[in-house]
Amino acid sequence: MKDYDHKKIEKKWQAIWEKNKIYQAKDNSKKPKFYGLIEFPYPSGDGMHVGHIRSNTAMDVIVRKRRAEGYNVIYPIGWDAFGLPTENYAIKTGQQPSIITKKNTDTFRRQLKAVGFSFDWSREVNTTDPKYYKWTQWLFLQFLKKGLAYKKKMFINWCPKDKIGLANEEVVAGCCERCGTVVEKREKEQWMLAITKYAERLDKDLDTVDYLPQIKLAQRNWIGKSNGAEIDFSIEKSGESIKVFTTRSDTVYGATYMVLSPEHELVLKLKPQITNWDKVMLYVLATKAKNEIERTNNDKEKTGVELEGVKAINPATSEPIPVWIADYVLAGYGTGAIMAVPAHDERDFEFATKFNLEIKLVVNEEGKLVNSGRFDGQDAETAKKQIVNFVGGQMKTTFKLRDWVFSRQRYWGEPIPVVHCVKCRIVPVPDKDLPVELPKVKNYQPTDSGESPLANISKWVNTKCPKCGGKAKRETDTMPNWAGSSWYYLRYTDPKNAKAFASAKNLKYWLGTDPAVGGVDWYNGGNEHTTLHLLYSRFWHKFLYDLKLVPTREPYMKRTSHGIILDSKGDKMSKSRGNVINPDVIVSTYGADTLRLYEMFIGPFDQAITWSEEAIIGPRRFLEKVWKIGGKVLAQKNFAALPTSRLRHGQNFSVPKLLNKTIKKVTEDIENMRFNTAISSMMILATEMERVEYVDKKDYKKFLQILAPFAPHMAEELWMDLGEAKSVSLARWPKWDESLLEDEEVKIVIQVNGKVRAEMMALIDATEEDIKQQALAHESVLKYVGDVPPQRVIYVKGRLINIVI
Ligand code: ANZ
Ligand code: ZN
C-alpha cells in the first residue's frame, strides 16, 4: 500500500474536479434543485481564517450529500468587497482600493480552493465589479421610483480630528476608533430606505420560514412590534397636549407624572411657561452628549428635570400632574413621551422614588383594577380597550425598527446613482447610463466638510441633468456595505446577465415557483448577521416580490448559524491580538481533509469552540486508519470466494451491521448539523474495520461514500483505487436497512448429543451455516467434538443448536 501523501492527492483531485466541472450547477435542469448558501466573505487583508472554513465546510458537507441524493446543487461563492478596512488601508498606503481588493480576493480564492470546497466557481460574483454594482444601483433606483428611498437630516458620528463621518461600529466608548478623539454629533442629510413600511410583514412572515428559534427571536426583537395605544394628555393654560404611547392603558389612573424626552419639540414650545428654563436647557445639552446605550442602561441612576410651571391633566382622573424631561425616555420611540406609572413600571418607580413623586397602585395582585373609578374590579387586561375609549385614545401598533440610513460619505462603495439639478432637483441616472462607475482618485481621505472624497473630483461631479440637459452635480454619497449583500444570492442564479439583475427563468428555477415556500433552500451564516443583514435582504426581497421581480415572498427558506472559533485561551481571534490561525499552515502540515474533519469534529456546530493544535492529530490518525483499511480491502479483492471456515466468531459480520447503523447516524446527523457525532460514529466504524480480518469491498465503498462529504480528497482517491470510474460525489448516497438495526445478537444454547454443553452469542441474522461454524469452533464444544466431522446438526433458529456425533 502506498503512503498517505495528502499533499499529492489533494492537489491532484482539486485539479481533476475543476477540469471535469463536476460541481457546476446546471440552470433549468430537470433534476430537483438544491440551493445551499453561505455568507460570502469580506476579502480582508488578513486572508482567510479558520472560522470561514468551519461554516463553509458545514455547508459543503450538506451540498455534497445532496448531490449524492440526486439533486442539481448550486453552492456559489463570491466577494462582499466594498467597505472600510480596504478604504482605510488605501488611505494609509495610497494604493487603489480596487487593486487591494484584487490582491485579497486572489488570496482568498487560492485558500478556499486548497480546502476542496465544492463551490461552483463559474458563478463567482464581486460586489465591487461595475458589472455587479450596476444592478445594485438599478435596484436602488427602483426604491427611489417607488418613494421608498428619500433624504432626511440625521445626526452622524463625526471625528473632528480625522474630519470624517464614522459608522456606529467605528465609535468605541464615544471615541473615534482610530485616533481616540471624542466623537461629536453632526447633522447631515442622508439617504434613507423605508424598511419600516415592511415592518409588519417582516415580522409576520417569520411564521412561514424555517429559521432556528433564536434567529427568529432576534429578528422579532429587532423589529420590535408592540401593541398598545396612543393617549393625549392636555397641558394646563396652553393649547398644547402631550401624546404618549403606552402598552398599559389599563394603568392610566395610576399615571402620576409625565416625562418628555429632552429633544421633544414641546420643550421649546412650552418655554414661555417654564420657570426654570436655565436648568432645563442645561439638561437638554447634557443629554445630547450621550448615546442611546448610555441613556437606557438600567444600572445607571435616573436623572431628570421638572418643567416647573407646566402641568398636564390626567384624562382619566382629570387631576393635574407634573411634567418632567428625562433621558430614559427616547426621542425616537413611540411618541417620545410617556405617562409614568411608578406603581407598575420599574423605571418609573425608580425615578419617582428618587424625586419623591406620587406612587399610586391601580392593579391589585389578582390583576383587577383598583383606584380606577368606574373600572374598579374589572380585569386589567380586558379593560385596556375600554379605558382607551374612555380617555379618547386610539389603539396603536408601533415598531422599534427605524428606517435604514443608506448613505456613507466614503469612497469605497457603490455611488448613489442620482444627479442634483437646480431646476429638476433629484434626478435618477437613466438605466442606459448605469453603472455610475467609481472614478479613480488620488487621495481617499474624506474632505474637510465631511463629504466623500468623490466631492473633490470636479470632472466627475459636474455633469448634465438627464432630464433638462442643464448643469447638474452628481450625488457624492455612496451606499453602505449592506447594499451588495442584500441581493447577491439572486445574482448567483444568473451571474453574467447583462440585461437584468437575473432572468425570471433562472430565478424561478433556483428559488421555486411557489411564493409561500420558495427561496434559497438552506442559508448558514454567523450569529452577528442574524439581525441586520438578514433583515435587510428580506426587505429587499419583499420589495422585489411586490414588483413581481422575484417569485417568492422570502429569500431564504431555512437559516442556521454557527458558533465562532476562539483561540486556545478562549479569546476571539483577531489580527491585532496576533492569535489568528492561518489555514494554509494546517493544510500543508496535516492536509485539507484533516482540517475539514477537525473543524467539524471540534464541538457542537452552533456553539463557540476553542482551537487546539494538539487535537488536530485525532482526525489525522482517523484518516490514516481509513487509508490502511483500504490497503486491506485491496489486498483481498474477492471476499465472497473466501472459505466460510475462515469466518471465525462472527467477527466479519460485525462490520455490515455497524456500517448499517453508521449510515443511518451520519445521514441523520448531517441534516441536523451534528457533524461531530457523525464523525465519531465513523471513527467507531473504522476501528471495527481495522480490528476484523476481512472487510468486504462493497462495505468499504459505502463507508467511503459517507466519509466523502467530510474528507472528499481521501475518499475520492480510495474510491478510484477500487476501480471506480466516476467521482465518489456522484455515486448514490447509501441507504440503511431498518430491519438490521434491531437487536444484534441472541443467546444460543449448544448441545452435544442432546446435552447442554455451552452457550454462545450469535448475530441474529446469521445463516445456519454461520451458526454451525461458530458452534463447532467453541472451546467447550471442541472438547467433546474434536476434529471429527459431526453426523448431524439440528438448528432451532435463534435458540438452540444440537450437534450429534
Ligand atoms: C405606561 C406603562 C405602565 C408602561 C406600565 C409600561 C408599564 P415596549 O413594550 O417596549 O413597546 N415607553 C413608551 N415610549 C417610550 C420612549 N420613547 N422611551 C422610553 N420608554 C417609552 O414598551 C412600551 C412602554 O415603554 C410604554 O408603556 C411606555 O411605558 C414606555 F406599568 O406606559 B408604558
Ligand atoms: Zn434638470
Side-chain angles (χ1 to χ4, degrees), residues 90-113:
I91 292 172
K92 222 165 76 188
T93 62
Q95 286 181 60
Q96 272 176 43
S98 59
I99 291 171
I100 300 167
T101 298
K102 164 100 183 32
K103 227 174 70 194
N104 292 349
T105 52
D106 286 348
T107 305
F108 267 64
R109 190 184 303 102
R110 177 186 59 70
Q111 290 183 305
L112 287 171
K113 286 190 172 181

PDB file of all heavy atoms in Angstrom, residues 90-113:
ATOM      1  N   ALA A  90      -6.252  51.847   2.020  1.00  0.00           N
ATOM      2  CA  ALA A  90      -5.944  52.693   0.862  1.00  0.00           C
ATOM      3  C   ALA A  90      -5.484  54.080   1.325  1.00  0.00           C
ATOM      4  O   ALA A  90      -4.546  54.655   0.781  1.00  0.00           O
ATOM      5  CB  ALA A  90      -7.167  52.806  -0.037  1.00  0.00           C
ATOM      6  N   ILE A  91      -6.158  54.621   2.349  1.00  0.00           N
ATOM      7  CA  ILE A  91      -5.787  55.934   2.871  1.00  0.00           C
ATOM      8  C   ILE A  91      -4.362  55.881   3.421  1.00  0.00           C
ATOM      9  O   ILE A  91      -3.543  56.758   3.189  1.00  0.00           O
ATOM     10  CB  ILE A  91      -6.780  56.379   3.979  1.00  0.00           C
ATOM     11  CG1 ILE A  91      -8.156  56.658   3.377  1.00  0.00           C
ATOM     12  CG2 ILE A  91      -6.255  57.607   4.724  1.00  0.00           C
ATOM     13  CD1 ILE A  91      -9.249  56.915   4.384  1.00  0.00           C
ATOM     14  N   LYS A  92      -4.067  54.796   4.109  1.00  0.00           N
ATOM     15  CA  LYS A  92      -2.761  54.643   4.746  1.00  0.00           C
ATOM     16  C   LYS A  92      -1.636  54.469   3.718  1.00  0.00           C
ATOM     17  O   LYS A  92      -0.556  55.024   3.860  1.00  0.00           O
ATOM     18  CB  LYS A  92      -2.793  53.436   5.679  1.00  0.00           C
ATOM     19  CG  LYS A  92      -2.094  53.691   7.007  1.00  0.00           C
ATOM     20  CD  LYS A  92      -2.441  52.639   8.044  1.00  0.00           C
ATOM     21  CE  LYS A  92      -1.725  51.328   7.806  1.00  0.00           C
ATOM     22  NZ  LYS A  92      -2.233  50.266   8.719  1.00  0.00           N
ATOM     23  N   THR A  93      -1.911  53.678   2.674  1.00  0.00           N
ATOM     24  CA  THR A  93      -0.831  53.292   1.770  1.00  0.00           C
ATOM     25  C   THR A  93      -0.887  53.993   0.420  1.00  0.00           C
ATOM     26  O   THR A  93       0.059  53.903  -0.358  1.00  0.00           O
ATOM     27  CB  THR A  93      -0.866  51.781   1.487  1.00  0.00           C
ATOM     28  OG1 THR A  93      -2.113  51.480   0.842  1.00  0.00           O
ATOM     29  CG2 THR A  93      -0.759  50.978   2.774  1.00  0.00           C
ATOM     30  N   GLY A  94      -2.017  54.642   0.118  1.00  0.00           N
ATOM     31  CA  GLY A  94      -2.137  55.303  -1.172  1.00  0.00           C
ATOM     32  C   GLY A  94      -2.418  54.347  -2.319  1.00  0.00           C
ATOM     33  O   GLY A  94      -2.518  54.756  -3.476  1.00  0.00           O
ATOM     34  N   GLN A  95      -2.552  53.064  -2.026  1.00  0.00           N
ATOM     35  CA  GLN A  95      -2.894  52.112  -3.093  1.00  0.00           C
ATOM     36  C   GLN A  95      -4.371  52.224  -3.429  1.00  0.00           C
ATOM     37  O   GLN A  95      -5.184  52.550  -2.587  1.00  0.00           O
ATOM     38  CB  GLN A  95      -2.647  50.678  -2.623  1.00  0.00           C
ATOM     39  CG  GLN A  95      -1.199  50.295  -2.546  1.00  0.00           C
ATOM     40  CD  GLN A  95      -1.084  48.838  -2.100  1.00  0.00           C
ATOM     41  OE1 GLN A  95      -1.588  47.940  -2.750  1.00  0.00           O
ATOM     42  NE2 GLN A  95      -0.432  48.633  -0.979  1.00  0.00           N
ATOM     43  N   GLN A  96      -4.698  51.874  -4.680  1.00  0.00           N
ATOM     44  CA  GLN A  96      -6.113  51.908  -5.067  1.00  0.00           C
ATOM     45  C   GLN A  96      -6.890  50.783  -4.413  1.00  0.00           C
ATOM     46  O   GLN A  96      -6.452  49.634  -4.442  1.00  0.00           O
ATOM     47  CB  GLN A  96      -6.222  51.725  -6.570  1.00  0.00           C
ATOM     48  CG  GLN A  96      -6.138  53.014  -7.342  1.00  0.00           C
ATOM     49  CD  GLN A  96      -6.157  52.728  -8.815  1.00  0.00           C
ATOM     50  OE1 GLN A  96      -6.928  51.901  -9.279  1.00  0.00           O
ATOM     51  NE2 GLN A  96      -5.279  53.396  -9.539  1.00  0.00           N
ATOM     52  N   PRO A  97      -8.079  51.086  -3.871  1.00  0.00           N
ATOM     53  CA  PRO A  97      -8.893  50.029  -3.249  1.00  0.00           C
ATOM     54  C   PRO A  97      -9.167  48.867  -4.203  1.00  0.00           C
ATOM     55  O   PRO A  97      -9.210  47.717  -3.775  1.00  0.00           O
ATOM     56  CB  PRO A  97     -10.191  50.749  -2.888  1.00  0.00           C
ATOM     57  CG  PRO A  97      -9.783  52.166  -2.699  1.00  0.00           C
ATOM     58  CD  PRO A  97      -8.685  52.419  -3.678  1.00  0.00           C
ATOM     59  N   SER A  98      -9.326  49.165  -5.493  1.00  0.00           N
ATOM     60  CA  SER A  98      -9.633  48.070  -6.420  1.00  0.00           C
ATOM     61  C   SER A  98      -8.440  47.117  -6.546  1.00  0.00           C
ATOM     62  O   SER A  98      -8.616  45.907  -6.701  1.00  0.00           O
ATOM     63  CB  SER A  98     -10.019  48.618  -7.786  1.00  0.00           C
ATOM     64  OG  SER A  98      -8.964  49.382  -8.312  1.00  0.00           O
ATOM     65  N   ILE A  99      -7.246  47.674  -6.454  1.00  0.00           N
ATOM     66  CA  ILE A  99      -6.055  46.814  -6.548  1.00  0.00           C
ATOM     67  C   ILE A  99      -5.874  45.996  -5.273  1.00  0.00           C
ATOM     68  O   ILE A  99      -5.573  44.797  -5.307  1.00  0.00           O
ATOM     69  CB  ILE A  99      -4.807  47.669  -6.861  1.00  0.00           C
ATOM     70  CG1 ILE A  99      -4.946  48.200  -8.295  1.00  0.00           C
ATOM     71  CG2 ILE A  99      -3.520  46.876  -6.684  1.00  0.00           C
ATOM     72  CD1 ILE A  99      -3.917  49.228  -8.688  1.00  0.00           C
ATOM     73  N   ILE A 100      -6.130  46.649  -4.128  1.00  0.00           N
ATOM     74  CA  ILE A 100      -6.060  45.925  -2.845  1.00  0.00           C
ATOM     75  C   ILE A 100      -7.071  44.781  -2.861  1.00  0.00           C
ATOM     76  O   ILE A 100      -6.769  43.649  -2.466  1.00  0.00           O
ATOM     77  CB  ILE A 100      -6.368  46.886  -1.673  1.00  0.00           C
ATOM     78  CG1 ILE A 100      -5.356  48.045  -1.648  1.00  0.00           C
ATOM     79  CG2 ILE A 100      -6.373  46.143  -0.344  1.00  0.00           C
ATOM     80  CD1 ILE A 100      -5.759  49.185  -0.729  1.00  0.00           C
ATOM     81  N   THR A 101      -8.275  45.084  -3.337  1.00  0.00           N
ATOM     82  CA  THR A 101      -9.334  44.072  -3.375  1.00  0.00           C
ATOM     83  C   THR A 101      -8.947  42.893  -4.250  1.00  0.00           C
ATOM     84  O   THR A 101      -9.156  41.734  -3.892  1.00  0.00           O
ATOM     85  CB  THR A 101     -10.648  44.702  -3.887  1.00  0.00           C
ATOM     86  OG1 THR A 101     -11.046  45.722  -2.975  1.00  0.00           O
ATOM     87  CG2 THR A 101     -11.757  43.672  -3.996  1.00  0.00           C
ATOM     88  N   LYS A 102      -8.368  43.202  -5.396  1.00  0.00           N
ATOM     89  CA  LYS A 102      -7.964  42.137  -6.323  1.00  0.00           C
ATOM     90  C   LYS A 102      -6.965  41.200  -5.639  1.00  0.00           C
ATOM     91  O   LYS A 102      -7.083  39.980  -5.699  1.00  0.00           O
ATOM     92  CB  LYS A 102      -7.360  42.773  -7.577  1.00  0.00           C
ATOM     93  CG  LYS A 102      -6.554  41.859  -8.474  1.00  0.00           C
ATOM     94  CD  LYS A 102      -7.390  41.411  -9.669  1.00  0.00           C
ATOM     95  CE  LYS A 102      -6.713  40.438 -10.607  1.00  0.00           C
ATOM     96  NZ  LYS A 102      -5.760  39.507 -10.062  1.00  0.00           N
ATOM     97  N   LYS A 103      -5.983  41.818  -4.953  1.00  0.00           N
ATOM     98  CA  LYS A 103      -4.966  41.017  -4.276  1.00  0.00           C
ATOM     99  C   LYS A 103      -5.597  40.122  -3.202  1.00  0.00           C
ATOM    100  O   LYS A 103      -5.303  38.930  -3.103  1.00  0.00           O
ATOM    101  CB  LYS A 103      -3.949  41.967  -3.623  1.00  0.00           C
ATOM    102  CG  LYS A 103      -2.513  41.573  -3.888  1.00  0.00           C
ATOM    103  CD  LYS A 103      -1.517  42.597  -3.370  1.00  0.00           C
ATOM    104  CE  LYS A 103      -1.438  42.636  -1.854  1.00  0.00           C
ATOM    105  NZ  LYS A 103      -0.751  43.822  -1.331  1.00  0.00           N
ATOM    106  N   ASN A 104      -6.502  40.740  -2.425  1.00  0.00           N
ATOM    107  CA  ASN A 104      -7.109  39.978  -1.327  1.00  0.00           C
ATOM    108  C   ASN A 104      -8.013  38.851  -1.827  1.00  0.00           C
ATOM    109  O   ASN A 104      -8.011  37.759  -1.268  1.00  0.00           O
ATOM    110  CB  ASN A 104      -7.909  40.912  -0.417  1.00  0.00           C
ATOM    111  CG  ASN A 104      -6.997  41.862   0.345  1.00  0.00           C
ATOM    112  OD1 ASN A 104      -5.777  41.698   0.343  1.00  0.00           O
ATOM    113  ND2 ASN A 104      -7.586  42.855   0.985  1.00  0.00           N
ATOM    114  N   THR A 105      -8.777  39.134  -2.881  1.00  0.00           N
ATOM    115  CA  THR A 105      -9.665  38.070  -3.379  1.00  0.00           C
ATOM    116  C   THR A 105      -8.836  36.939  -3.991  1.00  0.00           C
ATOM    117  O   THR A 105      -9.208  35.776  -3.864  1.00  0.00           O
ATOM    118  CB  THR A 105     -10.686  38.578  -4.411  1.00  0.00           C
ATOM    119  OG1 THR A 105     -10.005  39.280  -5.431  1.00  0.00           O
ATOM    120  CG2 THR A 105     -11.724  39.478  -3.793  1.00  0.00           C
ATOM    121  N   ASP A 106      -7.715  37.274  -4.609  1.00  0.00           N
ATOM    122  CA  ASP A 106      -6.851  36.222  -5.153  1.00  0.00           C
ATOM    123  C   ASP A 106      -6.369  35.294  -4.039  1.00  0.00           C
ATOM    124  O   ASP A 106      -6.342  34.075  -4.191  1.00  0.00           O
ATOM    125  CB  ASP A 106      -5.643  36.822  -5.890  1.00  0.00           C
ATOM    126  CG  ASP A 106      -6.041  37.410  -7.247  1.00  0.00           C
ATOM    127  OD1 ASP A 106      -7.185  37.133  -7.680  1.00  0.00           O
ATOM    128  OD2 ASP A 106      -5.234  38.142  -7.854  1.00  0.00           O
ATOM    129  N   THR A 107      -5.995  35.897  -2.916  1.00  0.00           N
ATOM    130  CA  THR A 107      -5.544  35.083  -1.776  1.00  0.00           C
ATOM    131  C   THR A 107      -6.677  34.199  -1.258  1.00  0.00           C
ATOM    132  O   THR A 107      -6.508  33.001  -1.057  1.00  0.00           O
ATOM    133  CB  THR A 107      -5.064  35.999  -0.626  1.00  0.00           C
ATOM    134  OG1 THR A 107      -4.069  36.864  -1.141  1.00  0.00           O
ATOM    135  CG2 THR A 107      -4.508  35.192   0.527  1.00  0.00           C
ATOM    136  N   PHE A 108      -7.838  34.804  -1.058  1.00  0.00           N
ATOM    137  CA  PHE A 108      -8.979  34.036  -0.533  1.00  0.00           C
ATOM    138  C   PHE A 108      -9.340  32.886  -1.470  1.00  0.00           C
ATOM    139  O   PHE A 108      -9.623  31.778  -1.038  1.00  0.00           O
ATOM    140  CB  PHE A 108     -10.198  34.957  -0.363  1.00  0.00           C
ATOM    141  CG  PHE A 108     -10.324  35.543   1.019  1.00  0.00           C
ATOM    142  CD1 PHE A 108      -9.367  36.399   1.517  1.00  0.00           C
ATOM    143  CD2 PHE A 108     -11.415  35.226   1.823  1.00  0.00           C
ATOM    144  CE1 PHE A 108      -9.483  36.944   2.782  1.00  0.00           C
ATOM    145  CE2 PHE A 108     -11.540  35.753   3.097  1.00  0.00           C
ATOM    146  CZ  PHE A 108     -10.586  36.613   3.579  1.00  0.00           C
ATOM    147  N   ARG A 109      -9.355  33.180  -2.771  1.00  0.00           N
ATOM    148  CA  ARG A 109      -9.733  32.157  -3.743  1.00  0.00           C
ATOM    149  C   ARG A 109      -8.773  30.976  -3.673  1.00  0.00           C
ATOM    150  O   ARG A 109      -9.183  29.825  -3.613  1.00  0.00           O
ATOM    151  CB  ARG A 109      -9.761  32.754  -5.153  1.00  0.00           C
ATOM    152  CG  ARG A 109     -10.381  31.825  -6.199  1.00  0.00           C
ATOM    153  CD  ARG A 109     -10.318  32.389  -7.606  1.00  0.00           C
ATOM    154  NE  ARG A 109     -10.956  33.699  -7.737  1.00  0.00           N
ATOM    155  CZ  ARG A 109     -10.315  34.860  -7.803  1.00  0.00           C
ATOM    156  NH1 ARG A 109      -8.976  34.882  -7.755  1.00  0.00           N
ATOM    157  NH2 ARG A 109     -10.969  35.989  -7.917  1.00  0.00           N
ATOM    158  N   ARG A 110      -7.479  31.303  -3.639  1.00  0.00           N
ATOM    159  CA  ARG A 110      -6.475  30.250  -3.557  1.00  0.00           C
ATOM    160  C   ARG A 110      -6.678  29.429  -2.280  1.00  0.00           C
ATOM    161  O   ARG A 110      -6.650  28.200  -2.297  1.00  0.00           O
ATOM    162  CB  ARG A 110      -5.070  30.879  -3.561  1.00  0.00           C
ATOM    163  CG  ARG A 110      -3.935  29.878  -3.395  1.00  0.00           C
ATOM    164  CD  ARG A 110      -2.570  30.529  -3.247  1.00  0.00           C
ATOM    165  NE  ARG A 110      -2.428  31.446  -2.118  1.00  0.00           N
ATOM    166  CZ  ARG A 110      -2.401  31.074  -0.841  1.00  0.00           C
ATOM    167  NH1 ARG A 110      -2.538  29.804  -0.519  1.00  0.00           N
ATOM    168  NH2 ARG A 110      -2.270  31.969   0.130  1.00  0.00           N
ATOM    169  N   GLN A 111      -6.930  30.122  -1.168  1.00  0.00           N
ATOM    170  CA  GLN A 111      -7.088  29.414   0.103  1.00  0.00           C
ATOM    171  C   GLN A 111      -8.333  28.525   0.109  1.00  0.00           C
ATOM    172  O   GLN A 111      -8.299  27.396   0.576  1.00  0.00           O
ATOM    173  CB  GLN A 111      -7.171  30.421   1.252  1.00  0.00           C
ATOM    174  CG  GLN A 111      -5.847  31.118   1.514  1.00  0.00           C
ATOM    175  CD  GLN A 111      -5.944  32.056   2.702  1.00  0.00           C
ATOM    176  OE1 GLN A 111      -6.802  32.941   2.722  1.00  0.00           O
ATOM    177  NE2 GLN A 111      -5.084  31.879   3.683  1.00  0.00           N
ATOM    178  N   LEU A 112      -9.416  29.044  -0.429  1.00  0.00           N
ATOM    179  CA  LEU A 112     -10.661  28.254  -0.467  1.00  0.00           C
ATOM    180  C   LEU A 112     -10.493  27.027  -1.347  1.00  0.00           C
ATOM    181  O   LEU A 112     -10.957  25.939  -1.016  1.00  0.00           O
ATOM    182  CB  LEU A 112     -11.831  29.114  -0.979  1.00  0.00           C
ATOM    183  CG  LEU A 112     -12.368  30.175  -0.012  1.00  0.00           C
ATOM    184  CD1 LEU A 112     -13.368  31.081  -0.723  1.00  0.00           C
ATOM    185  CD2 LEU A 112     -13.039  29.530   1.196  1.00  0.00           C
ATOM    186  N   LYS A 113      -9.821  27.216  -2.478  1.00  0.00           N
ATOM    187  CA  LYS A 113      -9.624  26.082  -3.387  1.00  0.00           C
ATOM    188  C   LYS A 113      -8.771  25.001  -2.732  1.00  0.00           C
ATOM    189  O   LYS A 113      -8.986  23.820  -2.949  1.00  0.00           O
ATOM    190  CB  LYS A 113      -9.005  26.549  -4.705  1.00  0.00           C
ATOM    191  CG  LYS A 113     -10.026  27.287  -5.572  1.00  0.00           C
ATOM    192  CD  LYS A 113      -9.543  27.548  -6.974  1.00  0.00           C
ATOM    193  CE  LYS A 113     -10.711  28.112  -7.810  1.00  0.00           C
ATOM    194  NZ  LYS A 113     -10.329  28.379  -9.193  1.00  0.00           N
TER     195      LYS A 113
END
